[in-house]
Amino acid sequence: MLVSPVLTFSIVLYADGSLRVKDVMKEFHAGGRLVQYRFGERIDAVGFSLFLKTYLEADDFPADFCQRLFHYFQNADSRNISRMINGNRMQRSGVYLKDVSCYFSVLEEGQPRDKLEWLTPGSSAERLVLKDMMTAMDADSSGAVTLQEWIQGGMNNVPLLVLLGLKMAERDGQHIWRMKHFNKPVYCNVCQSMLLGLRKQGLCCILCKYTVHGHCANKNPGPCACTFVKSKKQIGIPAHGWVSADCDSSKCHFCNKKIKTLAGKHCVWCQQMRHDDCVNFGSSSCDCGLLRDHILPPWAIYSSSKVKGRSSSMEDTNLEDITPDGHILQIAPIPDTHPLLVFVNPKSGGKQGERVLRKFQYLLNPRQVYNLSNGGPGPGLHFFRNLHDYRILVCGGDGTVGWILDAIDKADLPVRPPVAVLPLGTGNDLARCLHWGGGYEGTDLREILKEVEESSLVPMDRWSVQVISEDPQEIGDPVPNEIINNYFSIGVDASIAHRFHSMREKHPQKFNSRMKNKLWYFEFATSETISASCKKLKECLSIECCGTPLDLSGHSLEGLAVINIPSMHGGSNLWGEAKKADRDNMSEERSPEVVTDHDVLKMSSQDLSDKRIEVVGLEGAIEMGQIYSGLKRAGHRLAQTSQITIRTHKALPMQIDGEPWMQPPCTVSVVNIPLKRVWPWDLYDQLNKKV
């Protein structure tokens, strides 16, 4: 299929990227809201317009542009070419839905919003760049780029590959480019002229900040720093990773004189800057600077062999240890350091996750920073498994932290590393109770790394939850987790979370920031207050704590929470604080397995590692709001127990650590996980950071 290069890039410019083609395609199948616009394998002009508006999430998509693109799809397909039938000229209407979906799937990878910011249709200079780029690939000057021309010319065009979010052949020491806007004068490291233009002005390496014009990226720019050594002889020999840079009048670490523009280099590990002439005179040994305790330097990662072909020796080698250019990597520990294994969920916190990922790839060795969207935590845990003194930093929400803890359980590591949290989610309850704050607000990541280094260790209980339906034939939603890190709840708060979750699954583009998420949550809480869907909850369930029935007759409840940490709903302490004197008195006595006496519960405080879990009752959504805003001290303390069994008599909304589902009548059992498996769990607690 041949499609105009101009229209190809126009679509890239308009794309938003929050919906996938497969999601839009469902709307054209049976039961979808757009199925009436589909005729066999085709869609008509109206259906095509709705496809674009749905996929690009642009209600004001230009009608003339839509019409032109529709005609291009018609003319590009040989099955749609006008032909003569019975002496009359007839053009088939509609375009093939399969062709449209395949075409847009090619453009789907990457971050289309960044493409929109980099290139604007109104810029004549940028249109010229697009024209030159596509003309260069149009080898036969036909005005359209064939598949062969696209592969031969396009796959060697670095700016085009970056623009479309396609991967280039990866080799160690090769730059990883992204489009970037600079808010101050910046010079190209290849041609040494200034980057000019609006919006995204050029390409910048994620790993070393090497900067070039788009057209200069094809002119053999200087290499990026290597992330591992190729020979065992280089293991443990610290060496600088010098890369050409615009040192911005910084002082040379060797001669202490200012460095002129593009007349210096910086070390990607210790961040030293030197004149080009001073690089060979200063010390060649690198100490990794202020982040030496966290960095896994290249001289600690070595290639044990080079894979030349498939052989029996590969059977015991994990494929995740093999680099794209065929090296098998291993780690040689560096004494007196605690390398940091960083997991980033790029989908957390709107675009915060993406920015945090890039910043950590620059500050640390990119081989110790993992994007959870690319294979999950398994590859990173496997790579670090033979280290005995390392830490983990999880950048994401509570769900991401639970994912990593569960992955560590299943990995059966020789040494269980402690875990710190950089909160990027909406609620971030676990991060709050560990004093990492309610959400990352753009603090310099070097400060975050310093806090990780200075933090203390805190053990934390974890709880196993088993849900057994009364009627095996009655199928409800799948239970999201088998382990409770934060809380388990039934009723009003789970109902709100279930509505929130369902809406986010249906319209993910409406939940792309922490503030929007909170506003949506407030809206669902308001509607739940009006509907009171979980009224008279005590008539729908019964509770036993260590075999002792819990009396709920004196309470009018719409919700029940079983909490392991002193934070829920994004900062609400449902249990409340105990007086200091009462806390001291209670600590001198041995805690019983179960406490239900109201007077004793008033003096009880929470402890993350006391092998007891707290049971709290909620009167409704209004009470939840009062606790969150500080108008009310806490919910209704019902019990502290080391084991709890809940039996429900009708379908009720439930949630585990913010993951909700609708559950038919069932029995829920919650017990402490044995010591030999995962308890206590060490997490970093930043005591000096405000909650």
Side-chain angles (χ1 to χ4, degrees):
M1 182 176 70
L2 306 179
V3 180
S4 164
V6 175
L7 288 179
T8 297
F9 276 93
S10 297
I11 288 301
V12 172
L13 299 177
Y14 276 103
D16 184 279
S18 57
L19 284 180
R20 294 288 184 181
V21 169
K22 63 180 181 179
D23 298 325
V24 182
M25 288 286 290
K26 294 177 182 177
E27 301 293 346
F28 288 91
H29 294 302
R33 63 183 180 86
L34 302 178
V35 67
Q36 67 267 32
Y37 301 103
R38 178 172 177 172
F39 305 95
E41 297 301 317
R42 302 171 186 264
I43 55 176
D44 60 14
V46 177
F48 181 80
S49 175
L50 292 172
F51 180 97
L52 287 180
K53 291 179 179 180
T54 303
Y55 177 63
L56 303 177
E57 299 164 19
D59 293 333
D60 57 346
F61 194 81
D64 59 335
F65 182 26
C66 179
Q67 185 177 11
R68 281 189 291 130
L69 187 59
F70 179 74
H71 288 316
Y72 266 103
F73 272 101
Q74 283 186 311
N75 297 332
D77 192 337
S78 60
R79 292 165 296 187
N80 280 330
I81 295 179
S82 301
R83 61 183 183 175
M84 297 294 293
I85 297 181
N86 296 327
N88 295 320
R89 188 174 182 84
M90 185 192 80
Q91 184 177 21
R92 293 185 181 181
S93 62
V95 296
Y96 280 89
L97 185 60
K98 182 178 180 181
D99 290 346
V100 176
S101 63
C102 289
Y103 175 75
F104 280 91
S105 296
V106 173
L107 303 180
E108 188 168 70
E109 187 67 22
Q111 302 302 323
R113 188 179 297 276
D114 285 343
K115 302 168 189 175
L116 175 62
E117 293 171 354
W118 181 58
L119 294 169
T120 57
S123 170
S124 58
E126 290 159 350
R127 286 185 176 184
L128 182 60
V129 172
L130 292 179
K131 181 179 178 181
D132 292 343
M133 188 185 297
M134 300 304 287
T135 301
M137 283 185 276
D138 185 14
D140 59 4
S141 302
S142 64
V145 176
T146 65
L147 178 61
Q148 184 178 4
E149 290 171 339
W150 176 268
I151 294 175
Q152 291 179 346
M155 293 303 99
N156 295 318
N157 193 307
V158 173
L160 176 62
L161 295 175
V162 175
L163 181 66
L164 296 181
L166 301 175
K167 284 189 175 182
M168 293 166 279
E170 294 183 17
R171 296 186 302 274
D172 193 50
Q174 183 183 49
H175 296 290
I176 298 180
W177 303 109
R178 78 178 185 97
M179 302 296 180
K180 185 175 174 64
H181 164 71
F182 301 94
N183 55 12
K184 62 180 181 180
V186 175
Y187 292 85
C188 174
N189 286 107
V190 174
C191 69
Q192 298 193 350
S193 61
M194 186 179 294
L195 274 68
L196 300 174
L198 300 175
R199 298 289 189 177
K200 298 291 189 285
Q201 298 169 339
L203 302 181
C204 181
C205 177
I206 294 173
L207 309 182
C208 69
K209 305 302 182 185
Y210 192 91
T211 304
V212 296
H213 290 102
H215 57 273
C216 290
N218 297 321
K219 298 179 180 179
N220 298 320
C224 189
C226 293
T227 59
F228 65 93
V229 295
K230 308 299 190 296
S231 169
K232 290 186 177 181
K233 295 179 180 179
Q234 298 172 285
I235 298 174
I237 301 177
H240 291 290
W242 297 114
V243 175
S244 297
D246 181 358
C247 296
D248 194 23
S249 299
S250 300
K251 287 187 177 181
C252 175
H253 281 77
F254 176 69
C255 68
N256 206 34
K257 295 180 180 179
K258 284 188 176 182
I259 305 174
K260 295 181 180 180
T261 301
L262 297 177
K265 290 182 170 62
H266 87 278
C267 173
V268 298
W269 311 120
C270 67
Q271 304 302 320
Q272 278 194 26
M273 294 185 180
R274 295 185 191 174
H275 290 100
D276 291 334
D277 296 335
C278 294
V279 166
N280 296 325
F281 292 100
S283 172
S284 62
S285 179
C286 179
D287 63 359
C288 291
L290 297 176
L291 302 181
R292 65 176 64 89
D293 192 49
H294 297 298
I295 291 179
L296 185 66
W299 53 88
I301 308 174
Y302 64 95
S303 175
S304 59
S305 62
K306 184 77 179 284
V307 180
K308 297 182 179 179
R310 193 76 181 174
S311 64
S312 58
S313 62
M314 287 285 293
E315 293 180 0
D316 298 328
T317 301
N318 192 295
L319 294 178
E320 302 296 346
D321 293 342
I322 304 176
T323 66
D325 51 346
H327 292 278
I328 300 175
L329 299 184
Q330 296 185 30
I331 299 177
I334 300 294
D336 302 321
T337 63
H338 306 81
L340 191 65
L341 173 57
V342 181
F343 292 113
V344 183
N345 186 346
K347 298 180 181 179
S348 296
K351 282 203 166 186
Q352 272 190 325
E354 299 171 12
R355 291 192 291 268
V356 166
L357 176 65
R358 292 196 299 264
K359 289 178 180 178
F360 274 127
Q361 288 175 327
Y362 172 69
L363 291 174
L364 306 173
N365 190 326
R367 297 199 179 274
Q368 63 187 111
V369 182
Y370 286 81
N371 182 340
L372 289 173
S373 295
N374 299 332
L381 293 174
H382 179 82
F383 188 46
F384 273 65
R385 67 177 294 109
N386 293 325
L387 288 181
H388 295 284
D389 203 1
Y390 69 100
R391 305 173 177 129
I392 290 178
L393 176 63
V394 180
C395 307
D398 289 339
T400 305
V401 178
W403 180 16
I404 300 302
L405 297 183
D406 187 55
I408 295 174
D409 294 344
K410 296 176 180 177
D412 192 25
L413 301 174
V415 175
R416 198 174 302 279
V419 178
V421 183
L422 180 62
L424 299 180
T426 302
N428 302 311
D429 289 295
L430 184 56
R432 290 173 189 272
C433 74
L434 293 174
H435 300 89
W436 289 106
Y440 174 64
E441 297 179 351
T443 306
D444 190 334
L445 291 181
R446 295 179 181 86
E447 295 297 324
I448 301 294
L449 294 176
K450 189 66 175 178
E451 291 176 353
V452 172
E453 188 175 349
E454 297 174 350
S455 297
S456 58
L457 289 172
V458 176
M460 186 183 80
D461 292 335
R462 300 178 75 207
W463 301 80
S464 173
V465 59
Q466 185 179 33
V467 181
I468 303 175
S469 297
E470 278 188 8
D471 184 0
Q473 303 299 323
E474 190 172 4
I475 301 176
D477 299 334
V479 180
N481 297 312
E482 297 179 353
I483 293 178
I484 300 173
N485 297 310
N486 300 353
Y487 56 83
F488 165 81
S489 67
I490 302 175
V492 58
D493 66 309
S495 177
I496 297 170
H498 189 258
R499 295 185 189 187
F500 177 90
H501 181 78
S502 299
M503 180 64 75
R504 184 167 58 179
E505 288 290 307
K506 189 175 182 180
H507 303 287
Q509 71 277 9
K510 296 181 180 180
F511 297 80
N512 55 10
S513 74
R514 188 180 293 120
M515 180 56 68
K516 284 185 180 180
N517 292 351
K518 290 184 177 180
L519 291 175
W520 275 107
Y521 209 92
F522 176 77
E523 179 176 329
F524 293 130
T526 302
S527 61
E528 175 62 31
T529 301
I530 298 172
S531 64
S533 62
C534 300
K535 193 175 181 180
K536 297 181 180 180
L537 182 67
K538 64 184 178 183
E539 299 177 3
C540 307
L541 54 77
S542 60
I543 305 173
E544 290 182 3
C545 297
C546 296
T548 303
L550 192 61
D551 184 13
L552 301 178
S553 59
H555 304 282
S556 177
L557 304 178
E558 292 187 23
L560 182 80
V562 181
I563 53 180
N564 185 46
I565 62 174
S567 182
M568 191 173 172
H569 307 143
S572 298
N573 187 345
L574 299 189
W575 186 256
E577 296 290 342
K579 295 180 180 179
K580 186 177 186 302
D582 296 333
R583 216 167 40 234
D584 295 340
N585 292 334
M586 289 294 293
S587 63
E588 297 174 359
E589 303 175 4
R590 181 179 179 81
S591 301
E593 285 191 345
V594 59
V595 178
T596 58
D597 183 86
H598 179 67
D599 293 331
V600 177
L601 289 174
K602 286 196 300 184
M603 298 186 296
S604 301
S605 60
Q606 279 187 287
D607 189 336
L608 292 177
S609 57
D610 63 355
K611 296 187 180 181
R612 294 193 306 173
I613 201 164
E614 287 71 34
V615 185
V616 181
L618 294 169
E619 292 181 355
I622 293 179
E623 184 182 43
M624 290 170 51
Q626 290 173 334
I627 297 172
Y628 182 81
S629 61
L631 296 176
K632 191 169 183 179
R633 184 183 176 198
H636 298 275
R637 297 186 180 188
L638 301 178
Q640 277 187 319
T641 180
S642 58
Q643 187 272 332
I644 185 171
T645 301
I646 304 173
R647 295 179 176 87
T648 63
H649 313 310
K650 77 168 194 176
L652 289 170
M654 301 182 181
Q655 68 169 328
I656 296 175
D657 292 352
E659 297 291 331
W661 79 100
M662 186 61 69
Q663 176 63 44
C666 68
T667 299
V668 181
S669 298
V670 180
V671 297
N672 190 258
I673 297 176
L675 172 65
K676 63 181 181 181
R677 184 177 173 192
V678 298
W679 187 94
W681 193 274
D682 288 334
L683 295 110
Y684 277 111
D685 180 12
Q686 178 54 39
L687 298 177
N688 296 325
K689 194 173 182 66
K690 293 182 180 179
V691 180

